[in-house]
Amino acid sequence: MQYFSKSAKSKDTVTAKDVGDRFVKENNTVQEEEAPKSDAPFDPRPLHVILTERKAMIDASFDEYYSLKNRIAKVGEEDYQFYQSLADSKAQKEKRIREEEERELRKFKEQLERQAETPVELPKPKLQMPHAQKRKAIQQVLVANPVKRKKAVEEPKLDLNYASDSD
């Protein structure tokens, strides 16, 4: 049975056109440019040696760059004077605060000593009255200030029947 039409090519048959397409012709190829010539002379050393030297040079330049960055800069004379003046003013302020606290503590201690020297008069406790005298005193107060009751005033009654005055 033939599945393909007669015009279709079978896999077994190869024509000259098919073979010619597989080869690259010289006129169809793009001429590759030659590698640029370097001015450096040819180095006969192995590539490994050349690359390790390049890496060592790169590492050295990297270390030098960052060692310069991490270096501490020297303080100039003007900067030194400025920082010194800041430190002096801070020390003076702390000294002033310390002296003021000492003065206040001395005053407080002196006041405590003065108070300790003067006797403190405690209030005399009230003598309690016997029960009978207490009762008599309460009765006298009540008699002197009698409680007056107000007479009850009658409230006016409101007439809730709304009679019309239409008579």
Side-chain angles (χ1 to χ4, degrees), residues 4 6 10-11 17 20 27 31-32 38 47 52 61 72 91 96 117 120 131 133 136 142 149 154 157 166:
F4 300 105
K6 290 185 180 182
S10 69
K11 292 182 181 178
K17 183 180 179 193
N27 59 0
Q31 296 292 330
E32 293 184 22
S38 64
L47 182 62
T52 53
S61 66
I72 298 172
R96 212 179 8 215
E117 291 173 359
V120 177
H131 186 63
Q133 287 179 347
K136 200 173 192 179
L142 289 176
R149 293 188 180 186
E154 289 186 24
K157 292 184 181 178
S166 61

Side-chain angles (χ1 to χ4, degrees), residues 4-167:
F4 300 105
S5 66
K6 290 185 180 182
S7 63
K9 297 178 182 177
S10 69
K11 292 182 181 178
D12 295 336
T13 58
V14 178
T15 61
K17 183 180 179 193
D18 292 336
V19 173
D21 289 342
R22 290 185 198 163
F23 292 102
V24 179
K25 296 179 182 173
E26 190 174 338
N27 59 0
N28 291 341
T29 61
V30 176
Q31 296 292 330
E32 293 184 22
E33 296 180 14
E34 292 182 19
K37 294 182 180 181
S38 64
D39 294 336
F42 175 72
D43 194 359
R45 297 178 297 167
L47 182 62
H48 174 72
V49 173
I50 296 170
L51 292 177
T52 53
E53 283 181 3
R54 280 189 194 164
K55 181 164 177 38
M57 286 186 343
I58 290 171
D59 289 344
S61 66
F62 180 82
D63 292 340
E64 181 182 344
Y65 175 75
Y66 281 102
S67 68
L68 292 176
K69 268 194 160 189
N70 293 332
R71 192 176 348 158
I72 298 172
K74 292 182 181 179
V75 177
E77 184 64 29
E78 290 178 7
D79 293 337
Y80 173 76
Q81 290 174 356
F82 173 73
Y83 292 135
Q84 190 64 35
S85 67
L86 285 178
D88 291 343
S89 65
K90 185 177 178 182
Q92 288 175 352
K93 186 177 180 181
E94 289 175 357
K95 184 180 178 182
R96 212 179 8 215
I97 290 171
R98 214 176 319 113
E99 289 173 354
E100 187 176 323
E101 287 176 352
E102 288 175 1
R103 247 184 280 128
E104 289 177 5
L105 279 173
R106 262 189 266 122
K107 285 181 183 179
F108 180 72
K109 286 179 181 179
E110 289 173 2
Q111 285 179 353
L112 285 178
E113 289 173 1
R114 275 189 251 132
Q115 287 178 356
E117 291 173 359
T118 58
V120 177
E121 293 183 24
L122 296 174
K124 294 182 180 178
K126 294 182 179 179
L127 298 174
Q128 289 193 354
M129 296 181 181
H131 186 63
Q133 287 179 347
K134 191 185 259 187
R135 192 171 187 188
K136 200 173 192 179
I138 292 173
Q139 286 177 355
Q140 287 175 353
V141 170
L142 289 176
V143 170
N145 300 322
V147 177
K148 297 180 181 179
R149 293 188 180 186
K150 294 182 181 180
K151 293 183 180 180
V153 178
E154 289 186 24
E155 295 181 18
K157 292 184 181 178
L158 298 174
D159 186 18
L160 297 177
N161 295 331
Y162 296 108
S164 61
D165 292 330
S166 61
D167 312 307

